[in-house]
Amino acid sequence: VKDVPRNTTLKTVAEEAGVSISVVSKVLHGRGKNVRVGEETARHVRETAARLRYVPNGLARSLRMSRTNTVGLIFENFGQISAGPLFYVYLLDGVAQELFSRHFRLTILSEVDHERPLSSIEDGRLDGVIWCKLPGSEPSLDQLKQSSIPIVALNAPDHRVSLELVHVFCDNDGGAKLVVDHLVDLGHRRILFALERHEELTPDAQARLGGFLRAMQNVGLEVQADDVVVWSRDANEFNAWSAQTTDHTAIFAWNEGLGAAILDRAREQQIAVPSELSVVGFDSTRFCESTVPRLTAANQPIREMAAMAAQILLDQIEGKSPSIQDIRFACTLDVRDSTGPAFNRTQKTQR
Amino acid sequence: VKDVPRNTTLKTVAEEAGVSISVVSKVLHGRGKNVRVGEETARHVRETAARLRYVPNGLARSLRMSRTNTVGLIFENFGQISAGPLFYVYLLDGVAQELFSRHFRLTILSEVDHERPLSSIEDGRLDGVIWCKLPGSEPSLDQLKQSSIPIVALNAPDHRVSLELVHVFCDNDGGAKLVVDHLVDLGHRRILFALERHEELTPDAQARLGGFLRAMQNVGLEVQADDVVVWSRDANEFNAWSAQTTDHTAIFAWNEGLGAAILDRAREQQIAVPSELSVVGFDSTRFCESTVPRLTAANQPIREMAAMAAQILLDQIEGKSPSIQDIRFACTLDVRDSTGPAFNRTQKTQR
DNA sequence: GTGAAAGCGCTAACAC
DNA sequence: GTGTTAGCGCTTTCAC
């Protein structure tokens, strides 16, 4: 007993115009060569449709055509996007830019069933998916390869999985090398690499750690066990760490957020950056301009990377896939105010 | 002749399990009391479904149930989100937070046909819509009131439309008053109000201008014609403006983005803020912490507002609408480093 | 308990 | 040129 005035459908228009449903369909959305419809009829149909404020039902159409013109962005913990660093905002922007310019809609998925990832993806509502931070340790990754819609991963490829899934990522190795070389040039010899709890196993974090290790080796510096730590997001562990005697003169944080947190903690402890301690981050969005002091960081062109991921995905969806496999973007180094000459150890112990 | 291995559907599962489609449907998604299915059968069906990796088709289901569990966020010019102030990021965050916690999906619409707004909205793919910056001057606003799905506007209500559409907004008037009173307390008497080109007619901009005028009147200060300007996003007009002799000692920018741009231009012109000129903005996200100097601004709790808008919308969608009409949030003032005592005019002319 | 069948709104192949 | 029809995959009433 619902007297909700049913939306006007093709049928309504057809009846009102005194023609068949299929004619209306052809007139309104007809493509191809079999749209032979009388000039007169067509006008009349269009008129009635407009008068009735006819809006085609996208669900029905998509169901029929198996095409939704919607791309999903898998973005777990999206709810935090405004809190920390700007990295994910840039990423979102890049994806959106490309999608919208090609008239696709963007749906954000903030949760996936990691046991059965396809259940969130293959339900027909998406034409393709961009996955940020695709976990490399996923036990269910094989399933993804069998997805019926294309998937593009926007993070470093994990050697455990990699192939068969397109990855767009940055040269973490190169970026880490830029950082290490920069610090070494400044006279630093003992550098702490800081990972972030809950993120320490993500492919990019691991890749940066690997890059750090290789870069250190490359310049002939030995890395010891206590040169790598896993701290919480707000770097609370910094206090205890800085209290103990250590000859580290610089910290390389895995991303800009952690780098900024370290700057905050250092300030609280009245440790001057960069004169007493140098700090470097990774990503280098505008966020690094707002820290005190401004954070030196390796830059990955995430906006362009995200746009590229979207572009590859759309091309695949539209069938004109140039069979791109993986794409690696180069990193650069943005030197700001948080790095300086290595602090002389003798002075430091005086503190 | 497509040998694409059709997704497994209810039918597939039914055949494989040797039961009817409707039984499978009931077992897998059955709600209500008429789900009487044999214990044994149920287990068997569930088993086969799992084995076949069955994923229900969301489109078909939505089409049938007229329910998509997806909310649209109308957000024109989304592509710029990472560029300017953080206001829109906070907004997005607030909406997302509420939506995701209630297991709704978020679809971003970056373009609407302003002639026929409903065509983007009523196509069945959305259960409801949050509209940021709903233009009050929209000629087609009447149409919106006839929408078959609920709409919540996330901006100041325009007197030309207002009612019949739920609005969530901040007390622009009160915010403007806080700003003016703050400046007047500091001794400022002549204040410039700066609008932004292309945004000057948005309801919030107008409301702030109105608030500014009233607040000035309230403290007995006269506002002259050249006290209100419309500048471009990067405030290029500042240079010409500051070159001419004026006795303005403070600028009230309509939002944080323009406020920041003004700070940049002032710095270029070597005009010291706040000693020679005070600048205030509006919105007051973390963005204001990153300007030089840090920007004093009226704060609107946009994240909470956005979450509230989403909450109201979802309640409406789920039919438990407590018939809320409009909601106005209070503003506060975040005094930072861009405001100071009024600059003495005599000194200024010496510059 | 289980199954047949109608129908959500649309498209496209095929008759006429 | 126009109309009929068969689905797309699902839910739900109603027989049995």
Side-chain angles (χ1 to χ4, degrees):
Chain A
V1 196
K2 35 172 65 180
D3 52 354
V4 178
R6 271 213 137 353
N7 263 326
T8 87
T9 77
L10 272 192
K11 195 168 160 209
T12 329
V13 179
E15 283 168 357
E16 182 76 13
V19 292
S20 81
I21 292 183
S22 69
V23 165
V24 181
S25 172
K26 280 173 192 149
V27 170
L28 263 34
H29 326 291
R31 39 164 133 275
K33 292 297 88 185
N34 41 355
V35 281
R36 310 167 310 168
V37 179
E39 183 57 36
E40 180 63 18
T41 331
R43 254 224 338 283
H44 180 223
V45 166
R46 256 188 281 273
E47 228 160 51
T48 4
R51 183 158 49 77
L52 263 44
R53 294 245 165 73
Y54 168 69
V55 175
N57 184 305
L59 289 177
R61 208 201 295 224
S62 292
L63 178 59
R64 185 58 232 254
M65 324 220 336
S66 321
R67 191 66 185 306
T68 62
N69 281 293
T70 302
V71 162
L73 178 62
I74 298 189
F75 199 140
E76 299 177 272
N77 307 321
F78 183 90
Q80 299 299 338
I81 194 173
S82 74
L86 286 173
F87 176 75
Y88 287 111
V89 177
Y90 279 46
L91 188 158
L92 183 61
D93 200 350
V95 169
Q97 202 106 38
E98 180 71 19
L99 249 39
F100 296 156
S101 77
R102 287 172 72 169
H103 304 289
F104 268 71
R105 286 193 179 183
L106 170 62
T107 288
I108 293 169
L109 310 191
S110 78
E111 45 183 10
V112 286
D113 179 347
H114 282 256
E115 294 301 310
R116 308 188 55 236
L118 290 185
S119 67
S120 328
I121 290 176
E122 275 196 306
D123 72 346
R125 294 188 284 183
L126 269 20
D127 286 341
V129 157
I130 293 177
W131 195 316
C132 331
K133 270 201 317 194
L134 182 72
S137 53
E138 201 75 5
S140 50
L141 261 167
D142 307 334
Q143 293 179 39
L144 287 186
K145 298 178 187 163
Q146 316 198 23
S147 167
S148 58
I149 60 173
I151 299 177
V152 172
L154 189 44
N155 56 241
D158 188 291
H159 50 281
R160 283 166 293 190
V161 235
S162 65
L163 297 240
E164 297 186 61
L165 220 48
V166 180
H167 280 78
V168 174
F169 58 105
C170 74
D171 179 11
N172 287 297
D173 232 75
K177 184 165 172 13
L178 288 173
V179 171
V180 169
D181 288 353
H182 169 62
L183 290 175
V184 169
D185 279 352
L186 288 168
H188 298 272
R189 291 294 171 266
R190 194 81 197 281
I191 302 171
L192 182 78
F193 188 88
L195 289 160
E196 180 179 330
R197 178 122 31 241
H198 304 308
E199 297 279 345
E200 74 266 37
L201 295 180
T202 58
D204 283 288
Q206 284 296 314
R208 287 167 203 177
L209 172 57
F212 166 72
L213 298 177
R214 271 183 291 279
M216 289 294 275
Q217 184 172 31
N218 187 56
V219 293
L221 289 174
E222 201 176 332
V223 173
Q224 298 165 33
D226 58 344
D227 284 354
V228 178
V229 294
V230 179
W231 286 353
S232 56
R233 175 188 299 268
D234 52 11
N236 275 329
E237 297 85 345
F238 178 86
N239 301 3
W241 176 83
S242 68
Q244 69 190 15
T245 311
T246 153
D247 50 359
H248 290 104
T249 57
I251 302 183
F252 179 176
W254 90 283
N255 80 347
E256 61 185 19
L258 187 61
I262 290 173
L263 290 181
D264 288 343
R265 295 299 85 75
R267 190 160 359 98
E268 288 169 8
Q269 301 286 310
Q270 316 217 7
I271 296 178
V273 174
S275 58
E276 291 181 82
L277 177 74
S278 284
V279 180
V280 187
F282 212 107
D283 293 342
S284 198
T285 66
R286 210 183 56 218
F287 174 77
C288 296
E289 300 286 340
S290 69
T291 58
V292 182
R294 294 158 61 243
L295 183 68
T296 293
N299 177 295
Q300 71 168 307
I302 183 62
R303 217 173 332 194
E304 289 74 14
M305 289 164 58
M308 175 62 84
Q311 188 185 318
I312 293 174
L313 184 67
L314 294 187
D315 285 349
Q316 261 176 250
I317 290 173
E318 292 177 342
K320 43 180 169 177
S321 92
S323 74
I324 297 178
Q325 265 309 328
D326 285 9
I327 299 204
R328 191 177 63 195
F329 282 71
C331 292
T332 54
L333 182 69
D334 292 334
V335 178
R336 298 197 181 82
D337 311 328
S338 66
T339 46
F343 177 70
N344 181 305
R345 179 139 58 104
T346 355
Q347 287 175 255
K348 185 175 183 181
T349 33
Q350 292 170 357
R351 172 160 50 81
Chain B
V1 198
K2 35 173 63 178
D3 52 355
V4 178
R6 275 218 131 353
N7 263 326
T8 87
T9 77
L10 272 192
K11 195 167 161 211
T12 329
V13 178
E15 284 167 356
E16 182 76 12
V19 293
S20 80
I21 292 184
S22 67
V23 165
V24 181
S25 173
K26 280 170 193 150
V27 170
L28 263 32
H29 325 290
R31 42 166 134 272
K33 290 298 89 185
N34 42 353
V35 280
R36 309 167 311 165
V37 179
E39 183 56 35
E40 180 64 16
T41 331
R43 256 225 333 285
H44 180 222
V45 166
R46 256 187 281 272
E47 228 160 49
T48 7
R51 183 159 49 78
L52 264 44
R53 294 246 165 73
Y54 168 69
V55 175
N57 184 305
L59 289 178
R61 206 200 297 226
S62 292
L63 178 58
R64 185 56 230 260
M65 322 222 327
S66 321
R67 191 65 186 307
T68 62
N69 281 293
T70 302
V71 162
L73 178 62
I74 298 188
F75 199 139
E76 300 177 271
N77 307 323
F78 183 91
Q80 298 299 340
I81 193 173
S82 75
L86 286 173
F87 177 76
Y88 287 112
V89 177
Y90 279 47
L91 188 158
L92 183 61
D93 199 349
V95 169
Q97 202 106 39
E98 180 69 19
L99 249 40
F100 295 155
S101 77
R102 288 171 69 169
H103 304 290
F104 268 71
R105 286 193 179 184
L106 170 61
T107 288
I108 294 170
L109 310 191
S110 77
E111 45 184 9
V112 287
D113 179 347
H114 282 256
E115 293 303 311
R116 307 188 55 234
L118 290 184
S119 67
S120 329
I121 290 176
E122 275 195 306
D123 72 346
R125 292 188 287 183
L126 268 20
D127 286 341
V129 157
I130 294 177
W131 196 315
C132 328
K133 270 200 314 193
L134 182 72
S137 52
E138 201 74 5
S140 51
L141 260 168
D142 307 335
Q143 293 179 40
L144 287 187
K145 298 178 186 163
Q146 315 198 24
S147 167
S148 58
I149 60 172
I151 300 177
V152 171
L154 190 44
N155 55 241
D158 188 291
H159 50 282
R160 284 166 292 190
V161 235
S162 65
L163 297 239
E164 297 187 60
L165 220 49
V166 180
H167 280 79
V168 174
F169 58 105
C170 74
D171 180 12
N172 286 298
D173 231 76
K177 184 163 172 11
L178 288 174
V179 170
V180 169
D181 288 353
H182 169 61
L183 290 175
V184 170
D185 279 352
L186 288 169
H188 297 273
R189 291 294 172 266
R190 193 84 196 280
I191 303 170
L192 181 78
F193 188 88
L195 288 160
E196 180 178 330
R197 177 123 32 242
H198 304 308
E199 297 279 345
E200 73 267 37
L201 294 180
T202 58
D204 283 288
Q206 284 297 314
R208 286 168 203 176
L209 172 57
F212 166 72
L213 298 177
R214 271 183 290 279
M216 289 294 276
Q217 184 172 30
N218 188 55
V219 293
L221 289 174
E222 202 176 333
V223 174
Q224 299 166 32
D226 59 345
D227 284 355
V228 178
V229 294
V230 179
W231 286 351
S232 57
R233 177 190 298 269
D234 52 12
N236 276 328
E237 297 85 346
F238 178 85
N239 300 2
W241 176 84
S242 68
Q244 69 190 16
T245 310
T246 153
D247 49 1
H248 290 103
T249 57
I251 302 183
F252 180 176
W254 91 282
N255 81 347
E256 59 184 23
L258 188 60
I262 290 172
L263 291 181
D264 288 343
R265 295 299 85 74
R267 190 157 1 98
E268 288 169 9
Q269 300 288 310
Q270 314 215 12
I271 296 179
V273 175
S275 58
E276 292 181 81
L277 176 74
S278 283
V279 179
V280 187
F282 212 108
D283 295 340
S284 198
T285 65
R286 210 183 54 219
F287 174 76
C288 296
E289 300 286 340
S290 68
T291 58
V292 181
R294 294 159 59 244
L295 183 67
T296 292
N299 176 295
Q300 71 169 306
I302 183 60
R303 216 172 336 192
E304 290 74 13
M305 290 165 57
M308 175 63 84
Q311 188 184 319
I312 293 175
L313 184 68
L314 294 188
D315 285 349
Q316 259 174 251
I317 290 172
E318 293 176 341
K320 43 180 170 179
S321 93
S323 72
I324 298 178
Q325 266 308 329
D326 284 10
I327 299 204
R328 190 176 65 194
F329 281 70
C331 291
T332 53
L333 182 69
D334 292 333
V335 178
R336 297 198 181 79
D337 311 328
S338 66
T339 46
F343 178 69
N344 181 305
R345 181 141 57 106
T346 355
Q347 289 175 255
K348 185 175 184 181
T349 33
Q350 294 172 351
R351 173 159 49 84

